[in-house]
Amino acid sequence: MSVDAIEAASIRIADAVARTPLEPCPRLSADAGAEIYLKREDLQAVRSYKLRGAYNVMAQLSADELSRGVVAASAGNHAQGVAFACRSMGVPGRIYVPTTTPKQKRDRIRWHGGDFVELRAVGETYDAAAAAAQDDVMRTGSAWIHAFDDPRTAAGQGTIAHEIVEQLGRVPDVVIAPVGGGGCLAGMATYFRGLSDDVTIVGVEPTGAVSLSAALVNGGPVTLAEIDPFVDGAAVKRIGAIGHRVLSELGATVTDHPVLAQITATPAVRVMPDERFAPAPGTAHVTHVDEGAICSAMLELYQNEGIIAEPAGALAVAILDKLQLPADAAVVCLVSGGNNDVSRYGEIIERSLVHRGLKHYFLVDFPQEPGALRRFLDEVLGPDDDVTMFEYVKRNNRETGAALVGIELGHRDGLGGLMDRMDRSRLHCERLEPGSPAYAYLT
């Protein structure tokens, strides 16, 4: 993969992909103190950048390879790109997705592929779906269209960088891109660094799936034991070799994360504290952001800019609070996709409220006497607080006894007062800490 390969890919896929807008964002610019631009890949025909890589690979297959059909694995977005290409080129395809892929993405895969694509759901992660797809390739001899670990795929994704330079009129000072399998970040970084040594590259992973960070620390790709599948477009257990190689060659530093200590005692890269940092010109960094912060960024993009971003699509924006950026810097954030199922918004709002410190859960043991619940509402709950969940733990005792209570605070700093009022009451109250087994089970 090279600048020339990416520029050739731009020509090859020009008739199949949209030239997506590069939009200044006044709100984020004011918050960050820099010039923030959003590269709107959510406006592609398949609502993500994945069409670029998929089409670039398929456009280079021979007639014989195309006649045997193609096979792909995806969390959803790459699948739509492959499905679009299959239908456009008249090529049969079989696409494997995890069972956790949102219904909205499955429906869109079927719609884009029409009669040319067969969709198969296997396993709970991308990695499980990819294993099933590779078995298919071995049995049938069909062409494997990798979602990220193929130089042709990465070159196709790198065409985003080519467009950004043309639209901005120069190489940006800072580029922030989400990381799943690493192909997109690798392609963009290759192009930008091929033009300028001064551009700062920031790759962002969800805190629940830091496969690139793990690979950089380990000195090579490593399979994570577990990941959080919530950010489905970036929930990959093992980073691609291309993504690791490119970021390793750039000398990328890594933000500290608990899982990294389990991989090696002698990191192959410098590990930064998990706090705000100021990226220096010409450096590369791989960092992570909490799923709750991602949800907050999704909601803010929708409410302020009218952008429907999926969790992975909001990763680059969600990290801005963690960066200290020069006032005159031109910063491009990749909004990588907008395939979000409306049924997920309840969970998205919930995670955002928890992240912002507004939503809390308690086990409350009410005294065995009438009126206990009324006193809780009158004496414990603050004037701006609201009970969002109330369920007796013992279902055969609905008058008195222990209950699971969800409370949404009117203000983030209201938790201390609420806890003080609970301590002064006759109630025994136990706060359920986010991340604890009880919290995960009960909520």
Side-chain angles (χ1 to χ4, degrees):
M1 184 175 54
S2 62
V3 169
D4 288 344
I6 292 168
E7 291 180 343
S10 293
I11 297 171
R12 189 178 297 116
I13 68 176
D15 293 336
V17 305
R19 184 182 174 87
T20 56
L22 180 68
E23 299 176 346
C25 185
R27 174 182 66 89
L28 293 174
S29 296
D31 291 345
E35 299 174 20
I36 306 298
Y37 296 85
L38 303 179
K39 180 57 173 170
R40 298 287 308 278
E41 284 298 291
D42 59 300
L43 297 179
Q44 285 291 349
V46 298
R47 299 182 191 167
S48 87
Y49 69 87
K50 290 289 190 174
L51 173 59
R52 296 174 181 269
Y55 205 93
N56 189 49
V57 176
M58 291 182 61
Q60 296 180 73
L61 296 179
S62 67
D64 180 59
E65 288 174 314
L66 293 174
S67 69
R68 294 197 297 271
V70 299
V71 172
S74 168
N77 286 346
H78 176 63
Q80 292 185 59
V82 173
F84 184 98
C86 284
R87 190 172 186 173
S88 299
M89 302 170 68
V91 176
R94 291 179 300 285
I95 298 176
Y96 292 77
V97 298
T99 57
T100 53
T101 298
K103 182 178 183 298
Q104 183 269 349
K105 288 189 177 182
R106 296 195 207 187
D107 291 343
R108 296 296 295 175
I109 294 166
R110 294 187 180 98
W111 188 88
H112 285 300
D115 295 334
F116 289 94
V117 166
E118 178 184 349
L119 184 63
R120 301 179 181 180
V122 179
E124 296 183 354
T125 65
Y126 164 79
D127 304 84
Q134 289 172 326
D135 287 343
D136 186 324
V137 170
M138 295 298 293
R139 292 193 314 270
T140 65
S142 297
W144 172 232
I145 313 299
H146 204 290
F148 49 83
D149 208 16
D150 182 321
R152 298 167 298 179
T153 304
Q157 325 297 33
T159 61
I160 301 169
H162 181 255
E163 280 186 14
I164 289 171
V165 172
E166 291 188 340
Q167 292 167 318
L168 193 61
R170 65 183 181 93
V171 176
D173 299 301
V174 181
V175 176
I176 309 174
V179 179
C184 180
L185 180 63
M188 293 179 67
T190 296
Y191 190 81
F192 285 131
R193 279 299 179 85
L195 301 185
S196 171
D197 291 331
D198 295 329
V199 59
T200 300
I201 307 293
V202 180
V204 189
E205 300 182 286
T207 295
V210 290
S211 61
L212 178 54
S213 297
L216 290 170
V217 168
N218 183 63
V222 60
T223 302
L224 300 178
E226 293 183 4
I227 58 173
D228 184 341
F230 175 75
V231 186
D232 51 287
V236 176
K237 282 189 172 183
R238 186 181 181 90
I239 198 72
I242 292 174
H244 168 258
R245 176 179 56 77
V246 171
L247 270 296
S248 180
E249 290 175 353
L250 292 179
T253 59
V254 171
T255 295
D256 196 17
H257 186 286
V259 76
L260 301 183
Q262 304 169 18
I263 294 171
T264 179
T266 55
V269 301
R270 185 167 69 85
V271 178
M272 304 179 294
D274 187 12
E275 56 191 28
R276 290 194 69 188
F277 64 95
T283 56
H285 306 271
V286 178
T287 186
H288 61 88
V289 63
D290 178 76
E291 282 74 6
I294 297 167
C295 290
S296 295
M298 291 173 65
L299 295 173
E300 289 166 0
L301 283 170
Y302 176 73
Q303 292 173 339
N304 293 286
E305 284 75 39
I307 296 174
I308 300 175
E310 63 185 272
L315 269 169
V317 170
I319 202 64
L320 286 173
D321 287 342
K322 204 171 183 176
L323 304 179
Q324 298 173 356
L325 300 165
D328 59 348
V331 181
V332 175
C333 296
L334 174 61
V335 181
S336 60
N339 286 297
N340 196 46
D341 194 326
V342 67
S343 66
R344 303 183 74 191
Y345 272 98
E347 181 184 6
I348 290 164
I349 293 171
E350 171 80 8
R351 284 181 179 249
S352 174
L353 289 171
V354 171
H355 169 74
R356 292 159 56 201
L358 295 175
K359 188 73 171 283
H360 303 274
Y361 289 91
F362 303 86
L363 282 176
V364 181
D365 192 7
F366 289 94
Q368 303 295 308
E369 60 188 38
L373 176 56
R374 169 55 59 188
R375 287 198 302 276
F376 176 81
L377 297 176
D378 292 342
E379 300 174 8
V380 176
L381 210 64
D384 297 321
D385 302 339
D386 189 22
V387 174
T388 59
M389 172 184 280
F390 189 95
E391 182 177 348
Y392 282 106
V393 176
K394 295 181 180 179
R395 298 182 182 276
N396 61 346
N397 183 359
R398 293 186 175 276
E399 299 301 325
T400 59
L404 171 65
V405 182
I407 297 177
E408 183 176 334
L409 302 177
H411 306 281
R412 180 172 184 169
D413 57 5
L415 179 61
L418 177 66
M419 297 296 290
D420 288 343
R421 292 189 296 273
M422 286 182 171
D423 290 341
R424 292 195 301 268
S425 74
R426 296 169 55 197
L427 307 174
H428 174 71
C429 303
E430 178 186 351
R431 184 183 172 210
L432 302 183
E433 295 288 346
S436 68
Y439 187 98
Y441 176 76
L442 290 171
T443 61

